[in-house]
Amino acid sequence: MTTAMSGALRRIQLGNALSAFGNGFTVPYLFLYVARVRELGAGTAGVVLAVFALAALVVLPFTGRIIDRRGPLPVVLVGSVAAAAGSAGMGVASTEVLVIAAAALLGTGISVIQPALATLIVWCSAPAGRSRAFATQFFLANLGLGIGGLLGGLIVDVSRAASFMVLFGIEAVMFLVLGAAVASVRPARAAGAGPRPGETVPVGDRDGNGWRVLLRDRSMVGLCALGFVMFFACYGQFESGLSAFAVDVARIAPATLGVALAANTAVIVLAQFVVLRLVERRRRSRVIALVGLIWTLAWVAAGASGLPHGSHGLAVAAIVSTYALFGLGEAMLSPTLAPLVADLAPRELIGRYNSAFALVKQLALAVGPAAGGLLAGAGAYTAYIAMLIACSLGISVLALRLGRRLTPDQDAPLRTAAQPVPAAAGAEARTPAPVVAGV
């Protein structure tokens, strides 16, 4: 990686970490703010959360094409401004219409930022360092989110709406900081265009048919199906079925859920780079399959916490262990999933591939809480735990099936790169020139 590339990547990572820091000030308190501080009720608060998912579903199908045609930089800038305006609007909105409108603007901005940032990281990192780049992004985002949440807890006061205006104001400023940090990056346009050695550029994209190319890519379709199950069974349950199960069945105090979430973040922050060294040279499909087994164990632990005649201390330990095991799985996925999406994508379709995977994630995050909430509301907790154990085992099965479709370069690029390639007699070995991202 050139000095210019590493400098550009550092600015992208810093901006992303600061935006996550700002996000941490508001995420834990958004429902409380709408329902109680603005006195708009739990129903409106639920609508606000649903609007975030709806905004993503509306804009992401168009985002990838814009990224591929115009580049990720303007998309990040527009998304940062939109998210900042939406966050500032949330801080001052006092009616149902204004709160929902601000949430739509905030959700739109955040939704388009995610695939654009992922594409920028691909542009500004060499293939050999891509896993580390995405692991660093995930590490810094969780660190920023956790610190922001802790500081936000010192400021928040449910009896004073002004304290929430401060929280949303900080978040808005951090989104603008992200935009300013990314604006200083000047990746070469060639980084996102032109085929890899031996790769044929999809002709259909010139006619605006890039999505058809993606849908014909069986490996990418398989990865999207795997991603849906993965996000449904983990992230989609954190704030719905799992928390309800912990409180209603395991009899855990609501405050203990904060400890469990802290354990999740702590495992990610402390284990990320240790895990990275262990998995970056492994086959990606097998790493994902192992995550499925770890999450199966997590759901077994959650189910055990609700067994009758168990002690309260064991129930608390089981729930905290569940969140910690999820964190370990997340740390394993951060250097695996996003680089795999990038390696599956033809160069001219990187934006669309990133947007498609982000869209699948948002669909899972919309369906997951709804399914978990319905089962929790019906008191069908045994069926709930059984469903999620089955989903976690399904992750392992789908990952192994996906591995059969991947090339060695896609499944284990660092291992493949480490193998010596014999040069033809009388021919000079040639390596492609690195893509330079300028300042």
Side-chain angles (χ1 to χ4, degrees):
M1 184 184 298
T2 66
T3 302
M5 286 173 69
S6 61
L9 188 58
R10 281 196 296 270
R11 289 194 290 277
I12 294 169
Q13 302 283 31
L14 176 61
N16 179 66
L18 290 175
S19 68
F21 170 73
N23 213 213
F25 279 84
T26 65
V27 167
Y29 314 109
L30 184 58
F31 190 95
L32 178 67
Y33 170 71
V34 176
R36 292 181 55 186
V37 177
R38 291 301 182 185
E39 299 180 344
L40 297 176
T44 301
V47 170
V48 165
L49 295 178
V51 163
F52 283 102
L54 181 61
L57 299 182
V58 170
V59 301
L60 281 174
F62 307 100
T63 301
R65 185 173 181 179
I66 296 172
I67 292 172
D68 290 329
R69 291 197 168 196
R70 304 295 181 186
L73 182 58
V75 176
V76 176
L77 295 179
V78 171
S80 298
V81 172
S87 186
M90 286 292 292
V92 298
S94 57
T95 67
E96 183 175 349
V97 172
L98 291 177
V99 165
I100 292 174
L105 191 57
L106 177 57
T108 298
I110 293 175
S111 298
V112 302
I113 286 172
Q114 292 175 352
L117 275 180
T119 304
L120 267 178
I121 291 173
V122 171
W123 281 23
C124 295
S125 60
R130 199 159 288 157
S131 292
R132 184 167 295 273
F134 279 104
T136 301
Q137 180 200 30
F138 188 70
F139 166 80
L140 291 175
N142 277 276
L143 183 62
L145 195 67
I147 295 174
L150 289 173
L151 294 179
L154 300 177
I155 298 173
V156 67
D157 183 350
V158 294
S159 65
R160 293 174 54 247
S163 68
F164 286 86
M165 293 176 66
V166 173
L167 298 182
F168 284 107
I170 293 172
E171 182 182 47
V173 170
M174 291 300 105
F175 278 122
L176 294 177
V177 170
L178 168 63
V182 171
S184 66
V185 175
R186 291 292 181 269
R189 182 67 185 97
R196 297 184 181 96
E199 174 185 84
T200 301
V201 177
V203 176
D205 184 55
R206 299 189 187 118
D207 300 322
N209 295 326
W211 288 110
R212 296 182 187 178
V213 174
L214 187 153
L215 292 173
R216 289 198 297 266
D217 186 340
R218 294 184 63 189
S219 296
M220 183 59 187
V221 172
L223 180 60
C224 286
L226 171 62
F228 181 87
V229 177
M230 191 176 299
F231 290 114
F232 175 92
C234 177
Y235 301 93
Q237 305 306 321
F238 270 13
E239 297 177 0
S240 57
L242 179 55
S243 58
F245 178 88
V247 173
D248 295 341
V249 179
R251 305 299 178 186
I252 300 298
T256 306
L257 291 177
V259 176
L261 283 170
N264 174 267
T265 302
V267 168
I268 292 171
V269 171
L270 295 175
Q272 182 63 84
F273 293 105
V274 175
V275 168
L276 174 64
R277 286 195 292 271
L278 295 175
V279 306
E280 63 181 344
R281 293 186 180 275
R282 307 288 180 182
R283 291 181 59 180
R284 289 165 170 169
S285 57
R286 292 185 179 178
V287 171
I288 298 172
L290 180 58
V291 171
L293 296 179
I294 291 172
W295 285 356
T296 299
L297 181 59
W299 285 115
V300 169
S305 71
L307 292 176
H309 312 301
S311 72
H312 180 71
L314 289 177
V316 170
I319 291 296
V320 172
S321 297
T322 298
Y323 279 84
L325 287 169
F326 279 133
L328 178 60
E330 292 174 78
M332 294 171 66
L333 290 175
S334 64
T336 306
L337 278 180
L340 179 54
V341 173
D343 288 344
L344 287 176
R347 284 289 181 95
E348 290 191 351
L349 299 180
I350 289 177
R352 257 164 280 205
Y353 272 58
N354 279 326
S355 293
F357 198 74
L359 180 61
V360 166
K361 177 180 178 179
Q362 290 299 326
L363 281 170
L365 293 180
V367 175
L374 286 174
L375 290 174
Y381 287 112
T382 300
Y384 174 72
I385 294 295
M387 175 187 72
L388 293 167
I389 289 175
C391 285
S392 299
L393 291 173
I395 290 170
S396 298
V397 173
L398 290 172
L400 294 176
R401 290 184 61 184
L402 176 64
R404 300 191 193 106
R405 297 196 188 104
L406 300 177
T407 67
D409 283 340
Q410 293 167 342
D411 203 14
L414 293 187
R415 179 188 295 182
T416 304
Q419 296 175 352
V421 179
E428 294 182 359
R430 293 177 181 173
T431 57
V435 174
V436 177
V439 178

